[in-house]
Amino acid sequence: MSSYDVQQVRADFPVLQREVRDKPLVYLDSGATSQKPASVIDAERTYYEQHNAAVHRGAHQLSEEATDAFEAAREKVATFVGARPEDIVFTKNATESINLVAYGLSNASAPGALDGVPSEVAERLRIGAGDEIVVTEMEHHANLVPWQELCRRTGATLRWFPVTDGGELDLSDLDTLVNERTKVVAFSHVSNVVGTINPVAPLVAAARRVGAITVLDACQSVPHLPVSVTELGVDFMAFSGHKMLGPTGVGVLWGRAELLAALPPFITGGSMIEQVFMDHTTYAAPPQRFEAGSPNVAQAVGLGAAVDYLSKLGMDAVREHDKVLVQAALDGLAKRPWVRVLGPTDVEKRCGAVAFVVDGVHPHDVGQILDDSGIAVRTGHHCAWPLHRALKVPASTRASFAAYSTVEEVEAFLTALDRVPEVFGVEVA
Amino acid sequence: MSSYDVQQVRADFPVLQREVRDKPLVYLDSGATSQKPASVIDAERTYYEQHNAAVHRGAHQLSEEATDAFEAAREKVATFVGARPEDIVFTKNATESINLVAYGLSNASAPGALDGVPSEVAERLRIGAGDEIVVTEMEHHANLVPWQELCRRTGATLRWFPVTDGGELDLSDLDTLVNERTKVVAFSHVSNVVGTINPVAPLVAAARRVGAITVLDACQSVPHLPVSVTELGVDFMAFSGHKMLGPTGVGVLWGRAELLAALPPFITGGSMIEQVFMDHTTYAAPPQRFEAGSPNVAQAVGLGAAVDYLSKLGMDAVREHDKVLVQAALDGLAKRPWVRVLGPTDVEKRCGAVAFVVDGVHPHDVGQILDDSGIAVRTGHHCAWPLHRALKVPASTRASFAAYSTVEEVEAFLTALDRVPEVFGVEVA
Amino acid sequence: MDLYQQLILDHSKRPQHAGLREPFEGEAHHVNTTCGDEVTVRVHVDGDEVKDVSYDAQGCSISVASASILAEEVIGFSVEESLSTYEAMRAMLTSKGQDPGDEEVIGDGVALAGVAKYPARVKCALLPWAAYTDALVRAGVDISTVGGQR
Amino acid sequence: MDLYQQLILDHSKRPQHAGLREPFEGEAHHVNTTCGDEVTVRVHVDGDEVKDVSYDAQGCSISVASASILAEEVIGFSVEESLSTYEAMRAMLTSKGQDPGDEEVIGDGVALAGVAKYPARVKCALLPWAAYTDALVRAGVDISTVGGQR
Ligand SMILES: Cc1ncc(COP(=O)(O)O)c(C=O)c1O
Ligand SMILES: Cc1ncc(COP(=O)(O)O)c(C=O)c1O
């Protein structure tokens, strides 16, 4: 840890110099969206000032430069998660990435959509009545609602793993829930609320046994942990640029080559076609097939710079730093008996975020008190309403971290939190 | 025109100072993507350096600022096209905007999707076998392939208006093509290849008579002409930020309030929901219903700045300037008998782009010769393959303009073009 | 901070007229989608008079206090008066701090004046009021003569 | 500009061995999706010998010239030799200008060396060659022993 100089990291993030309500900004809402280092902001700017043009199509110099910048970004992102560039699709956010898979699967049932696909692969992609999609109660809405809608479109049935009171996945019914009817098992790598790091291996193994496709929501793991698609063994993985120091407006879908190759397109239009006639169209190979229209080139380039930045820090070091922050938050909150922390207590089992409730005070009011001290946290259901229901709380307050967060910030947060019982007259003993 | 100082405009665009192959860049590929003024680049940068946070959800100051910036951008875009902010949806590009409508319509047939929608509106949204979708042969793939796919999903039939040899829509069969089976009439305002400005009024009137929904692809009109949704009378209108001096990664869909209110969601996930349970979800009102996940905030803010920039120039002035450029190109090309211009010859009937062929020389080779002189044009089918087939050319070369293009650039292009017959030994008389 | 006036804390801890009661002619359930706050409001109108407003409010101190103040300020008044009170509340809450509110019209509502400076909380304060007007509509009351409804 | 060597212009104006002929054992149709260039290539192999390559090329001067050169450089050679020629073409074209090409191996192919500096055109030059290898596969020829295929 001694080599990780967080003050030096902070110097790279212009917004961290800001004051809020005359106090220095303490940004503990990185789980919602992270801040951006100057190198990311500059990468987008340089792209616009020097190279901006349509990619993949121009017969001119600028267009070649833009294409090179875009494809170089794809290579960087691929390397970052241990993937091949051809298997990386740029989307607008992780939500689109997951919808891409869900719509690709329902489109697979349209007439002719799987022509030419090997029958064993086609069989895995076809979903209808009687089939089952399995998710978990812990999911962000982005990895739940698209599957509900896929079920609505196809007649398949949604099933889910429950969550324990301790905020972990309850896998005791694994072999019942994942069965021969299961076509998809979709789950998050790390919970965006309770920070739980879920066990990927048993879920992948169970899905493999029945030939189900695994879809991993890696939004909260990729920014905090070393992540490799080959090690994880999943079939699809979605994550968002804006949560990993990258720009808004860019997400990523990685897919296993044989499945990507077979998956029908989602959004259709220019740049994803092979040949177009008035009455039919043939489609390009991945990743182009899934990148219809003019892509988010500047944002992809920015994400490439973010990945460079994280790689320079080293994801192992980022993970170690995160542990220190989470531990400091857990320790500080444990000293306040009027606070109830959600999720695992062991820092090895969690990362990125700490959510809690103050009984008798609504999280909105907790957040407001913190904001008054310049401390930015998030309150509410954090797009994980069913998880809150499972944990029997209406909502929660969440402090979440990134590579630039400091223990001092955690302490400032804890100190400000002490005003909550004061203002709302809560018993502190 | 005297008040339109194009040199002053150019000074605002950093990339225009560039050299290509040791010659000043002559960028005549704005129809593919436009360049960005410093104010747009700076708006994104300021957003990241000062206000970046999750929108619509934070209990903290930064999040409120980010939300204000995002919603202010929506208001600017709305005002720019004569719309209400509530009816403006931010997408990633125009392609997504059109897909949003096409998927919304097929999702309307899923069980329960139109619950609570007034029956006359529901009737318009439900599409199935026997119904017809009408497009034109002139469409960009983005306004053709999504409708082919909608037909594939629903069993509806695709029909289309042909194009005349002169590159205009042939509306002679209007009343046959748009009939009581027609559910959607989708067409472009301005062709991205031949620049033709299509007559919106008769198409809207025909669609209205039969209750069909009109979808206007305004990608190539919004950057060049004053456009007002209320005057046009269409039901949906799609356009792209990156073609109107805005950033990459942002598009717009405008929809008529009553239809937007009834249209089922497309991409689903966080921020577009009302309440989420494991077994069902209810959705928020527009525009949120159609903006799932973390939005492209910085890009929307950049688009707001682009709209400010265009408004300052004045769209009437921009249109007049464009006419001068198109006229100069048409005049210059007319003097070269070895060049065949596609599309209308009357500058009142067209805008933004001039496409042509040199018989005996492939457009790729034409583009290469131009590039060698630092002149960036586009060659190929310009994502409008069927239009090229209709005009009986395999591909074409297109010079396209924006507010910063100059008559001198048009002249440089014409001069460089004269090398084509030289190199390829084409008869020039 | 001037947001949490003692009056607000009092109302949120001891919400007046809380609970769902009979009889009622209209009921509306509103949700603040950004945070999950929920409120159900029932109205019992007799002729032109708001006889009772009962409610179940699950949410932050601001939305609960606002529900409590709503009940206090409209029960026993005419529908028209209650809608004027709504308009005055709305004007104050959306004034970004310019309109301090008139105690004559909105009573304890003035304690919510500080909310106007926190756009994210304005929705919380308006939630019960929006549900109230919706409940009126469902009770068959014509509220169209009063402007400014969303 | 060094892209349009006279040799390329000649090949593109008078493409050698052009047209689709019989007999053939394998045929492949490839499209350059970015510009719509199309080529159909047929191969007639007899044992280890490439007896004939016939083609229909619709496209720019680079892709047509490349098809013409392809036919010239592989007809009458062994399959293995033709694949070595392909590899040498490919190496030159993707070298970004580092590899000038060996006239001994690729013959008139060296005239396409200038293409390597224009990434967008590399696809054009490779199009007929990719179709050729594809046609070989469809003719039942095992090309797996030769590396570098995409
Ligand atoms: C007429 C027209 N429609 C649709 C599109 C698609 O826009 P985008 O690529 O931004 O999605 C374009 C441009 O590519 C266009 O010119
Ligand atoms: C676990 C998880 N999944 C999915 C998402 C959705 O990502 P985005 O909003 O970037 O689409 C988020 C963040 O919002 C998340 O934390």
Side-chain angles (χ1 to χ4, degrees):
Chain A
M1 260 310 298
S2 55
S3 72
Y4 192 88
D5 184 347
V6 71
Q7 289 309 329
Q8 198 181 316
V9 171
R10 290 178 75 76
D12 294 328
F13 290 77
V15 77
L16 299 181
Q17 323 308 321
R18 255 206 66 165
E19 302 214 322
V20 159
R21 310 202 190 281
D22 299 326
K23 286 152 199 137
L25 167 66
V26 174
Y27 186 75
L28 297 181
D29 197 16
S30 295
T33 198
S34 71
Q35 298 302 342
K36 330 296 175 199
S39 63
V40 167
I41 303 172
D42 289 345
E44 282 207 69
R45 183 196 174 87
T46 303
Y47 172 78
Y48 286 132
E49 293 187 349
Q50 296 287 332
H51 313 295
N52 177 61
V55 295
H56 292 162
R57 21 171 111 159
H60 58 82
Q61 170 72 16
L62 227 53
S63 166
E64 282 172 13
E65 293 175 11
T67 305
D68 284 350
F70 186 52
E71 293 305 324
R74 195 189 304 277
E75 281 173 33
K76 287 177 187 184
V77 170
T79 306
F80 191 65
V81 296
R84 304 186 318 157
E86 308 90 284
D87 304 334
I88 293 287
V89 177
F90 283 121
T91 59
K92 67 173 177 174
N93 55 24
T95 303
E96 184 194 340
S97 303
I98 296 168
N99 276 267
L100 193 167
V101 180
Y103 273 102
L105 290 173
S106 57
N107 288 344
S109 298
L114 292 177
D115 286 358
V117 171
S119 61
E120 44 326 334
V121 178
E123 179 45 38
R124 296 181 69 192
L125 298 181
R126 250 186 232 110
I127 293 179
D131 289 334
E132 295 178 0
I133 310 286
V134 181
V135 296
T136 91
E137 245 179 3
M138 193 190 276
E139 297 315 303
H140 187 282
H141 297 160
N143 201 28
L144 167 60
V145 188
W147 304 115
Q148 292 177 341
E149 287 290 331
L150 173 64
C151 289
R152 165 138 66 169
R153 290 194 300 274
T154 58
T157 303
L158 191 74
R159 305 191 67 183
W160 53 87
F161 289 99
V163 166
T164 66
D165 290 345
E168 299 188 48
L169 289 186
D170 176 353
L171 298 185
S172 46
D173 283 337
L174 179 60
D175 292 328
T176 325
L177 272 168
V178 179
N179 58 50
E180 66 289 349
R181 293 182 300 279
T182 310
K183 301 300 289 251
V184 177
V185 181
F187 60 102
S188 50
H189 197 182
V190 169
S191 159
N192 68 311
V193 181
V194 288
T196 314
I197 304 173
N198 289 319
V200 176
L203 286 158
V204 165
R208 283 236 176 109
R209 272 196 295 276
V210 299
I213 291 168
T214 45
V215 180
L216 188 71
D217 174 352
C219 279
Q220 297 292 348
S221 55
V222 171
H224 299 296
L225 309 174
V227 167
S228 153
V229 289
T230 40
E231 282 170 30
L232 290 168
V234 293
D235 293 318
F236 290 99
M237 184 171 95
F239 53 103
S240 265
H242 69 97
K243 293 186 197 278
M244 53 190 288
L245 317 186
T248 62
V250 58
V252 177
L253 176 71
W254 168 84
R256 188 175 292 286
E258 81 213 47
L259 293 173
L260 266 193
L263 196 71
F266 166 41
I267 297 182
T268 58
S271 311
M272 51 74 71
I273 53 91
E274 189 182 64
Q275 280 190 291
V276 178
F277 302 87
M278 285 312 289
D279 59 353
H280 77 285
T281 291
T282 56
Y283 297 115
Q288 271 67 45
R289 187 191 304 156
F290 304 107
E291 293 180 357
S294 304
N296 39 5
V297 184
Q299 291 72 46
V301 168
L303 180 54
V307 154
D308 283 344
Y309 191 90
L310 285 171
S311 303
K312 222 180 58 203
L313 294 182
M315 288 310 294
D316 285 316
V318 168
R319 167 61 175 145
E320 288 308 313
H321 180 62
D322 181 70
K323 273 196 217 169
V324 173
L325 299 167
V326 170
Q327 191 68 64
L330 291 176
D331 289 349
L333 292 172
K335 289 201 196 101
R336 291 160 172 84
W338 40 275
V339 170
R340 195 150 52 88
V341 171
L342 307 176
T345 48
D346 178 359
V347 75
E348 294 298 336
K349 282 192 172 179
R350 59 187 297 161
C351 79
V354 176
F356 60 93
V357 292
V358 177
D359 287 313
V361 184
H362 193 277
H364 244 200
D365 294 318
V366 174
Q368 193 77 57
I369 297 288
L370 294 173
D371 177 49
D372 198 49
S373 302
I375 291 156
V377 297
R378 194 166 158 203
T379 66
H381 50 64
H382 317 299
C383 297
W385 217 324
L387 172 61
H388 282 85
R389 260 185 230 107
L391 297 176
K392 298 171 200 77
V393 293
S396 64
T397 304
R398 178 187 73 179
S400 57
F401 314 114
Y404 46 74
S405 305
T406 67
V407 170
E408 292 72 34
E409 289 183 308
V410 173
E411 278 158 10
F413 148 72
L414 292 165
T415 306
L417 192 62
D418 285 333
R419 286 186 55 213
V420 170
E422 239 169 82
V423 171
F424 295 97
V426 170
E427 290 290 333
V428 294
Chain B
M1 261 313 297
S2 56
S3 71
Y4 192 89
D5 184 346
V6 71
Q7 289 309 328
Q8 199 181 315
V9 171
R10 291 178 75 76
D12 295 328
F13 290 77
V15 79
L16 298 181
Q17 321 309 320
R18 254 205 66 163
E19 301 214 321
V20 160
R21 310 203 191 279
D22 300 324
K23 286 152 199 138
L25 167 67
V26 174
Y27 187 75
L28 298 181
D29 196 16
S30 296
T33 198
S34 71
Q35 298 302 342
K36 329 297 176 200
S39 63
V40 166
I41 303 171
D42 289 344
E44 283 206 68
R45 183 196 173 87
T46 304
Y47 172 77
Y48 286 131
E49 293 188 349
Q50 296 288 333
H51 313 294
N52 177 60
V55 296
H56 292 162
R57 21 172 110 158
H60 58 82
Q61 170 72 15
L62 227 54
S63 167
E64 283 172 12
E65 293 175 11
T67 306
D68 284 350
F70 186 52
E71 293 305 325
R74 196 190 304 277
E75 280 173 33
K76 287 176 188 185
V77 170
T79 306
F80 190 65
V81 296
R84 305 185 317 157
E86 308 90 285
D87 305 334
I88 293 287
V89 178
F90 284 120
T91 59
K92 68 173 178 174
N93 54 24
T95 302
E96 184 194 341
S97 303
I98 295 167
N99 277 268
L100 193 167
V101 180
Y103 273 102
L105 291 173
S106 56
N107 288 345
S109 298
L114 292 177
D115 287 357
V117 170
S119 61
E120 35 339 326
V121 178
E123 179 44 38
R124 296 180 68 192
L125 299 182
R126 250 187 232 108
I127 293 178
D131 290 334
E132 294 178 1
I133 310 286
V134 182
V135 295
T136 90
E137 244 179 2
M138 193 190 277
E139 297 314 303
H140 187 282
H141 298 160
N143 201 29
L144 167 59
V145 189
W147 305 115
Q148 292 177 340
E149 287 290 331
L150 173 63
C151 289
R152 166 138 65 168
R153 290 194 300 275
T154 59
T157 303
L158 191 75
R159 305 191 66 182
W160 52 87
F161 288 100
V163 166
T164 66
D165 290 345
E168 299 187 48
L169 289 186
D170 177 352
L171 299 184
S172 47
D173 283 336
L174 179 60
D175 292 328
T176 324
L177 272 169
V178 180
N179 58 49
E180 65 289 350
R181 294 182 300 278
T182 309
K183 302 301 288 252
V184 176
V185 182
F187 59 103
S188 51
H189 196 183
V190 169
S191 159
N192 69 311
V193 180
V194 288
T196 314
I197 303 173
N198 289 319
V200 176
L203 286 159
V204 165
R208 284 236 175 107
R209 271 196 296 275
V210 299
I213 291 168
T214 45
V215 180
L216 189 70
D217 174 351
C219 279
Q220 297 292 348
S221 54
V222 170
H224 299 296
L225 309 174
V227 167
S228 152
V229 289
T230 41
E231 282 171 29
L232 290 169
V234 293
D235 294 317
F236 289 98
M237 184 170 96
F239 54 104
S240 265
H242 68 97
K243 292 185 199 278
M244 54 189 287
L245 316 187
T248 61
V250 59
V252 178
L253 176 71
W254 168 85
R256 190 173 291 286
E258 82 214 48
L259 292 174
L260 266 193
L263 195 71
F266 167 41
I267 297 181
T268 58
S271 310
M272 51 74 70
I273 54 91
E274 190 182 61
Q275 280 189 293
V276 178
F277 302 87
M278 285 312 288
D279 59 351
H280 77 286
T281 291
T282 57
Y283 297 115
Q288 270 68 45
R289 187 190 305 156
F290 304 107
E291 293 179 358
S294 304
N296 39 6
V297 184
Q299 292 71 46
V301 168
L303 181 54
V307 154
D308 283 344
Y309 190 90
L310 286 171
S311 303
K312 222 181 59 200
L313 293 181
M315 288 310 293
D316 286 317
V318 169
R319 166 61 175 146
E320 287 309 312
H321 180 63
D322 181 70
K323 272 196 218 169
V324 172
L325 299 167
V326 171
Q327 190 68 63
L330 291 176
D331 289 349
L333 292 173
K335 289 202 195 99
R336 289 159 172 85
W338 40 277
V339 170
R340 196 151 52 89
V341 171
L342 307 176
T345 48
D346 178 0
V347 75
E348 295 297 334
K349 282 191 172 180
R350 59 188 295 160
C351 78
V354 176
F356 61 93
V357 292
V358 177
D359 287 313
V361 184
H362 193 277
H364 245 198
D365 293 319
V366 174
Q368 193 78 58
I369 297 287
L370 294 173
D371 177 49
D372 198 49
S373 302
I375 291 156
V377 297
R378 194 166 158 203
T379 66
H381 50 64
H382 317 299
C383 297
W385 217 325
L387 172 62
H388 282 85
R389 259 184 230 108
L391 296 176
K392 299 171 200 78
V393 293
S396 64
T397 304
R398 178 187 74 180
S400 58
F401 313 115
Y404 46 73
S405 305
T406 67
V407 171
E408 292 72 34
E409 288 183 309
V410 174
E411 279 158 11
F413 148 72
L414 292 165
T415 306
L417 192 62
D418 285 332
R419 286 186 55 213
V420 170
E422 239 169 84
V423 172
F424 295 97
V426 170
E427 289 290 332
V428 296
Chain C
M1 59 194 302
D2 50 0
L3 184 59
Y4 295 111
Q5 304 282 322
Q6 192 55 45
L7 215 49
I8 293 187
L9 298 175
D10 291 346
H11 271 288
S12 73
K13 290 235 170 80
R14 280 169 298 276
Q16 306 298 302
H17 309 279
L20 293 170
R21 290 180 295 275
E22 315 244 338
F24 64 97
E25 292 76 38
E27 176 182 292
H29 174 235
H30 276 212
V31 177
N32 182 342
T33 56
T34 54
C35 61
D37 282 6
E38 296 180 48
V39 65
T40 304
V41 173
R42 289 180 178 175
V43 295
H44 170 33
V45 271
D46 184 5
D48 187 43
E49 194 193 333
V50 182
K51 282 287 208 192
D52 191 20
V53 168
S54 66
Y55 61 89
D56 176 31
Q58 300 296 335
C60 65
S61 61
I62 303 297
S63 66
V64 174
S66 188
S68 172
I69 293 167
L70 160 74
E72 237 178 37
E73 294 304 320
V74 307
I75 294 175
F77 288 83
S78 75
V79 168
E80 205 182 316
E81 280 163 336
S82 80
L83 291 170
S84 304
T85 308
Y86 169 48
E87 274 315 299
M89 279 294 288
R90 212 178 131 71
M92 177 187 78
L93 287 167
T94 56
S95 73
K96 308 210 163 173
Q98 299 309 300
D99 175 355
D102 181 353
E103 195 166 350
E104 297 282 295
V105 183
I106 59 176
D108 282 1
V110 292
L112 289 164
V115 174
K117 282 184 234 146
Y118 300 88
R121 308 307 294 277
V122 170
K123 277 192 198 168
C124 307
L126 282 174
L127 190 68
W129 295 81
Y132 168 66
T133 53
D134 208 3
L136 280 180
V137 172
R138 287 166 197 227
V141 177
D142 178 11
I143 65 165
S144 62
T145 47
V146 185
Q149 258 69 254
R150 281 200 290 180
Chain D
M1 57 193 305
D2 49 1
L3 184 60
Y4 295 112
Q5 303 282 322
Q6 192 54 46
L7 215 48
I8 294 186
L9 297 174
D10 292 346
H11 271 288
S12 74
K13 289 237 170 78
R14 279 168 299 276
Q16 305 299 301
H17 309 279
L20 292 170
R21 288 179 295 277
E22 315 245 337
F24 66 98
E25 292 76 38
E27 177 182 292
H29 174 235
H30 276 213
V31 176
N32 182 342
T33 56
T34 55
C35 61
D37 282 5
E38 296 180 49
V39 66
T40 304
V41 173
R42 289 181 179 175
V43 296
H44 169 34
V45 272
D46 184 5
D48 186 44
E49 194 194 333
V50 181
K51 281 288 209 192
D52 192 20
V53 169
S54 66
Y55 62 89
D56 176 30
Q58 301 295 333
C60 64
S61 60
I62 304 296
S63 65
V64 175
S66 188
S68 171
I69 293 167
L70 160 73
E72 237 177 37
E73 296 302 321
V74 308
I75 294 175
F77 289 82
S78 75
V79 168
E80 204 182 316
E81 279 162 338
S82 80
L83 291 170
S84 304
T85 309
Y86 169 48
E87 274 315 299
M89 279 295 288
R90 212 179 132 70
M92 176 187 78
L93 288 167
T94 56
S95 74
K96 307 211 162 171
Q98 297 311 299
D99 174 356
D102 180 352
E103 195 166 350
E104 297 282 294
V105 182
I106 61 176
D108 281 2
V110 292
L112 288 165
V115 173
K117 282 186 234 147
Y118 301 88
R121 308 307 294 277
V122 171
K123 279 193 200 169
C124 308
L126 282 175
L127 191 67
W129 295 81
Y132 168 66
T133 53
D134 209 3
L136 280 182
V137 171
R138 288 167 197 228
V141 175
D142 179 11
I143 64 167
S144 62
T145 47
V146 185
Q149 257 70 253
R150 282 199 291 181

